């Protein structure tokens, strides 16, 4: 790092799943808060849900005294750093993280480079990973020509939108802390603690460390390096931390606190050669616990069986908040949640992807996205990203040629749009459409003045759809509205963006329905892993050598082994693995399941689906 850390104390906490790493951090946070004040302590977790869970555990330990301790994610902290006025001057950006819909407009603007879509996606992945690993610290990290040109175009477009894309957020924030003493002073804590260090990107790891003034403590299990919230988690970070802090205290946790059944399952997975001889600490003194395999005939039967297992646990005395169902995708999440509710159990879900989608090229198929974009314009008429999207909806190329021409003028986006509306912009394909859309947007902003809450959302929906009877789409209302909280345009827009880019499980006594890879930081007493079949894990392509070459198969297996190890190790007391044996051909194709056989049953083509290849490993079968 170009700006050296000033910490005088560093601690490394290492252990396998269930060895009490998070509990060790909770105790350390409590002691530091009691000694030097809660405001002096910050805790960085891998996901927003993990941060919320950590805060709850700290409140149980300290009571109201824990309120001042900051539990957050590196991404949220990075955006706070980037919101600093000096940071905005340094970066030329706002602390405006692009949503999935907004990223589509950025991608379309990059296609003016002339690169083929596959090549473009490959190069973007290279840039994104390089940003997270701080490769751009080397001024010569890009090859002259195609690489340097596309990277410059990407940065120019992000600057034109005054926005930040997720893989660069921690990178930009870290550089602001490095370059500005004022920014560093405004965003520092005496003591920083980091949980699930291996699930953070390298930039996030260093960002958290640079936020510490006196001490930093990190907890890690390198074998559980899974992409949860940060892109490109960096397992080697723990070794680099040790190199930066050669005198760091090492705390090795030597006993697994999970039930023996769960611990054996995790230990069986660790026997895979991928883990290079790692072993789980002793667990002989733990309670036995339970490991169950729920074999079901079809998906509908599996939804019922998984919900029944969760309901039985609650009826036996386990609080609903201590029960979780891990799911492979949003289809399983919706069905499991509905089945739980049919049994009288509340369910809190965490989506695996952002709920606002649609085809931005077709106005009728992207109404929710347009309503949300209109809300952003009402909240901030100078929102460059919102204007870029608003003026691109409905065009096959999202008016990318017109915006490329506007960007080349060297003006901020909002000013360039005003020039286009006044006829001062150079001629380009789609420029008139852009000018018309700007005028429509200004009229909409004027009409929405004085409205708030549901009335504002409904008015925007009517304006966007052109129907006098339209009301706000349910997905938009769910993102924007909250009981007892401010409902002006700015508050709703910020709330929606936070829920889209930093989703977290809600509180309350409800069964958690969570995607496989977002279980980080959670440790339910009872965990049901649903949809544990080939096609979901491993993915379908893994079984086809014509699609996935051998070297990629090996990498995929390694990544899946880490995912399974991290997942099964989350259950404190009881672990259930649920799978189904068959489904119809159409569903199997849509879900990208690995089909073993196809047979005709009552005139319907039915596929046989095998349990995940990892099931035999977990239960210890030869």
């Amino acid at each position: 790092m170009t700006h050296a850390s000033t910490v005088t104390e560093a601690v490394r906490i290492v252990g396998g799943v269930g060895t009490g790493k998070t509990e060790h951090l909770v105790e350390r946070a409590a002691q530091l808060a009691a000694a030097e004040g809660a405001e002096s302590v910050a805790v960085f977790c891998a996901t927003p849900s993990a941060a919320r869970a950590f805060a709850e555990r700290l409140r149980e330990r300290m009571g109201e005294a824990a309120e001042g301790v900051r539990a957050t994610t590196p991404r949220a902290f990075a955006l706070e750093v980037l919101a600093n006025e000096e940071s905005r001057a340094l970066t030329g950006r706002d602390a405006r993280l692009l949503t999935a819909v907004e990223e589509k407009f950025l991608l379309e603007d990059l296609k003016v480079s002339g690169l083929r879509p596959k090549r473009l996606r490959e190069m973007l992945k290279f840039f994104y990973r390089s940003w997270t690993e701080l490769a751009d610290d080397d001024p010569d990290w890009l090859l002259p020509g195609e690489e340097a040109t596309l990277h410059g175009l990407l940065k120019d477009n992000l600057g034109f939108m005054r926005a930040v894309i997720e893989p660069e957020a921690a990178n930009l924030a870290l550089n602001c802390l490095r370059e500005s003493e004022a920014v560093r002073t405004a965003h520092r804590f005496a003591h920083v603690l980091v949980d699930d260090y291996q699930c953070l990107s390298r930039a996030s790891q260093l960002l958290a460390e640079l936020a510490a003034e006196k001490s930093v403590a990190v907890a890690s299990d390198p074998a559980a390096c899974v992409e949860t919230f940060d892109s490109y988690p960096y397992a080697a970070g723990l070794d680099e931390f040790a190199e930066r802090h050669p005198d760091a205290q090492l705390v090795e946790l030597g006993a697994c606190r999970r039930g023996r059944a769960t611990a054996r399952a995790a230990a069986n997975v660790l026997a895979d050669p991928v883990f290079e001889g790692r072993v789980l600490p002793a667990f002989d003194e733990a309670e036995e616990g339970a490991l169950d395999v729920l074999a079901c005939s079809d998906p509908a039967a599996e939804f019922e069986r998984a919900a029944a297992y969760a309901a039985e646990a609650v009826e036996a005395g386990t609080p609903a908040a201590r029960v979780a169902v891990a799911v492979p995708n949003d289809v399983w999440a919706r069905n499991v949640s509905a089945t739980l509710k049919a049994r009288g159990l509340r369910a809190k879900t965490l989506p695996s992807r952002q709920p606002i989608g649609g085809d931005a090229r077709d106005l009728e198929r992207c109404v929710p996205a347009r309503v949300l974009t209109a809300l952003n314009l009402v909240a901030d008429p100078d929102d460059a990203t919102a204007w870029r999207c608003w003026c691109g909806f409905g065009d096959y190329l999202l008016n990318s040629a017109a915006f490329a021409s506007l960007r080349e003028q060297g003006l901020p986006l909002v000013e360039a749009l005003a020039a286009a509306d006044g006829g001062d912009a150079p001629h380009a394909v789609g420029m008139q459409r852009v000018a018309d859309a700007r005028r429509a947007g200004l009229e909409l902003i004027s009409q929405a003045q004085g409205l708030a809450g549901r009335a504002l959302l409904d008015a925007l929906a009517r304006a966007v759809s052109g129907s006098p009877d339209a009301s706000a789409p349910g997905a938009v209302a769910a993102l924007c509205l909250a009981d007892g909280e401010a409902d002006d345009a700015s508050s709703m827009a910020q709330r929606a963006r936070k829920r889209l880019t930093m989703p977290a499980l809600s509180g309350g006594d409800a069964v958690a329905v969570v995607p496989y890879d977002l279980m980080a930081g959670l440790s339910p007493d009872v965990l049901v892993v649903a949809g544990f079949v080939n096609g979901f894990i491993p993915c379908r392509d893994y079984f086809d050598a014509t699609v996935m070459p051998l070297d990629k198969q090996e990498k995929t297996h390694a990544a899946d082994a880490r995912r399974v190890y991290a997942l099964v190790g989350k259950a404190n007391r009881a672990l259930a693995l649920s799978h189904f044996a068959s489904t119809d051909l159409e569903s199997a194709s849509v879900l990208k399941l690995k089909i073993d056989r196809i047979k005709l049953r009552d005139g319907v083509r039915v596929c046989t689906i095998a349990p995940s290849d990892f099931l035999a490993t977990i239960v210890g079968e030869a």
Side-chain angles (χ1 to χ4, degrees):
M1 300 196 323
T2 57
H3 181 85
S5 173
T6 61
V7 298
T8 57
E9 180 186 3
V11 180
R12 288 187 297 144
I13 304 166
V14 182
V17 292
T19 53
K21 299 183 296 298
T22 301
E23 190 59 38
H24 197 98
L25 287 180
V26 168
E27 186 60 30
R28 179 177 174 84
Q31 293 175 0
L32 291 171
E36 299 191 36
E39 291 75 13
S40 68
V41 181
V43 182
F44 292 97
C45 300
T47 71
S49 293
R52 176 172 288 185
F54 191 100
E56 290 174 356
R57 293 173 70 167
L58 193 59
R59 276 194 295 271
E60 292 175 2
R61 168 67 174 78
M62 297 183 66
E64 294 183 1
E67 293 301 318
V69 175
R70 179 74 183 282
T72 187
T73 61
R75 182 186 302 182
F77 178 67
L79 292 177
E80 288 183 16
V81 172
L82 294 175
N84 183 288
E85 285 299 322
E86 187 163 342
S87 296
R88 294 176 65 194
L90 285 170
T91 62
R93 314 277 192 88
D94 297 326
R96 174 75 153 79
L97 198 65
L98 291 180
T99 64
V101 169
E102 292 162 348
E103 286 184 20
K104 294 178 181 178
F105 289 82
L106 173 66
L107 181 62
E108 198 64 44
D109 288 342
L110 295 177
K111 290 180 181 178
V112 301
S113 64
L115 291 176
R116 293 181 178 274
K118 183 178 179 181
R119 174 62 174 160
L120 176 60
R121 287 192 295 270
E122 289 173 349
M123 291 187 69
L124 289 179
K125 288 180 181 179
F126 165 66
F127 295 153
Y128 295 163
R129 182 166 200 140
S130 298
W131 289 344
T132 66
E133 295 182 359
L134 302 176
D136 55 344
D137 281 354
D138 180 356
D140 299 320
W141 72 286
L142 289 171
L143 294 176
E146 190 177 66
E147 274 187 17
T149 299
L150 181 62
H151 186 265
L153 181 63
L154 173 58
K155 286 289 189 177
D156 286 348
N157 275 285
L158 285 167
F160 194 47
M161 298 170 75
R162 290 196 64 86
V164 178
I165 197 167
E166 181 270 325
E168 72 168 347
N171 179 302
L172 289 177
L174 178 64
N175 283 319
C176 288
L177 292 181
R178 288 168 165 176
E179 295 175 24
S180 170
E181 181 66 35
V183 176
R184 199 159 52 247
T185 301
H187 299 90
R188 299 204 86 176
F189 303 89
H191 307 283
V192 167
L193 297 82
V194 187
D195 201 8
D196 287 313
Y197 194 69
Q198 76 284 346
C199 291
L200 305 182
S201 69
R202 185 171 186 251
S204 290
Q205 292 170 353
L206 294 177
L207 177 68
E209 185 176 335
L210 201 54
E213 188 171 8
K214 293 183 179 180
S215 76
V216 59
V218 302
S220 178
D221 177 6
C225 180
V226 177
E227 185 167 323
T228 56
F229 192 57
D230 272 13
S231 297
Y232 307 106
Y234 195 65
L238 193 66
D239 293 333
E240 292 185 2
F241 182 90
E243 293 173 2
R244 289 193 299 274
H245 304 281
D247 298 325
Q249 177 189 356
L250 175 61
V251 178
E252 293 185 281
L253 302 178
C256 181
R257 303 181 181 184
R258 302 286 192 245
R260 286 201 296 272
T262 295
R264 277 195 294 269
N268 288 339
V269 179
L270 273 181
D272 191 296
V274 165
F275 297 104
E276 300 177 345
R278 293 182 186 273
V279 295
L280 200 66
F283 51 84
D284 294 337
E285 297 181 5
E287 296 181 2
E288 177 57 31
L291 172 60
D292 297 306
V293 177
L294 312 180
C296 307
S297 58
D298 55 38
E302 188 196 12
F303 301 145
E304 290 288 344
R305 188 67 190 93
Y309 193 94
E312 290 163 6
V314 174
E315 290 169 4
T318 304
R322 301 294 305 160
V323 179
V325 181
V327 292
N329 51 46
D330 286 342
V331 174
W332 253 243
R334 287 193 298 270
N335 282 281
V336 169
S337 298
T339 311
L340 286 169
K341 291 174 183 176
R343 287 180 167 271
L345 288 175
R346 288 184 59 233
K348 50 187 179 182
T349 61
L350 194 63
S352 60
R353 58 182 179 179
Q354 296 181 11
I356 300 296
D359 187 349
R361 299 169 298 182
D362 186 332
L363 293 179
E364 294 182 359
R365 297 176 63 185
C366 61
V367 171
R370 292 169 62 207
V371 172
L372 203 55
T373 301
L375 176 65
N376 287 328
L377 289 176
V378 175
D380 180 8
D382 292 327
D383 186 336
T385 297
W387 277 116
R388 169 62 190 98
C389 298
W390 178 259
C391 296
F393 283 120
D395 179 67
Y396 187 77
L397 299 177
L398 306 182
N399 289 322
S400 55
F403 275 94
S405 179
L406 291 175
R407 179 176 51 78
E408 289 170 358
Q409 294 183 82
L411 296 172
L413 189 147
V414 176
E415 294 181 21
L417 280 176
D421 196 9
D424 296 332
H427 174 73
V429 176
M431 192 66 75
Q432 186 58 51
R433 291 193 297 269
V434 168
D436 292 343
R438 176 181 181 271
R439 285 193 290 273
L442 291 174
E443 183 178 351
L444 183 147
I445 293 170
S446 176
Q447 293 174 351
Q449 296 306 307
L451 297 178
R454 172 73 70 167
L456 172 58
L457 296 179
D458 288 346
L460 295 177
R462 290 192 293 270
V464 162
S465 65
S467 171
D469 301 323
S471 59
V476 174
L479 288 169
C480 297
L481 300 175
D483 292 338
E485 296 188 26
D487 61 357
D488 59 284
S490 179
S491 298
M492 290 196 297
Q494 291 177 14
R495 187 178 301 125
R497 192 172 303 120
K498 182 177 180 181
R499 288 174 172 175
L500 285 172
T501 60
M502 286 180 275
L505 283 170
S506 60
D509 192 32
V511 176
V513 181
V514 183
Y516 289 168
D517 296 335
L518 295 182
M519 286 293 297
L522 307 180
S523 53
D525 289 335
V526 178
L527 172 63
V528 182
V529 180
F532 203 61
V533 297
N534 286 334
F536 289 155
I537 184 165
C539 67
R540 182 178 63 186
D541 290 348
Y542 173 80
F543 299 94
D544 189 346
T546 64
V547 175
M548 185 178 291
L550 182 60
D551 60 337
K552 191 171 182 181
Q553 283 182 343
E554 293 173 352
K555 291 179 181 178
T556 298
H557 173 78
D560 283 343
R562 290 192 293 269
R563 295 171 65 202
V564 171
Y565 165 72
L567 181 57
V568 301
K570 293 299 178 185
N572 271 324
R573 181 166 50 81
L575 171 67
L577 303 167
S578 170
H579 64 89
F580 57 94
S582 65
T583 189
D584 64 275
L585 179 60
E586 183 179 358
S587 297
S589 299
V590 171
L591 294 168
K592 298 183 178 180
L593 294 168
K594 197 269 183 181
I595 299 171
D596 288 345
R597 294 181 61 189
I598 302 175
K599 52 189 176 182
L600 199 64
R601 180 188 300 166
D602 298 328
V604 178
R605 288 182 294 178
V606 176
C607 308
T608 58
I609 309 297
S612 170
D613 282 1
F614 288 99
L615 181 62
T617 300
I618 293 169
V619 299
E621 295 178 359

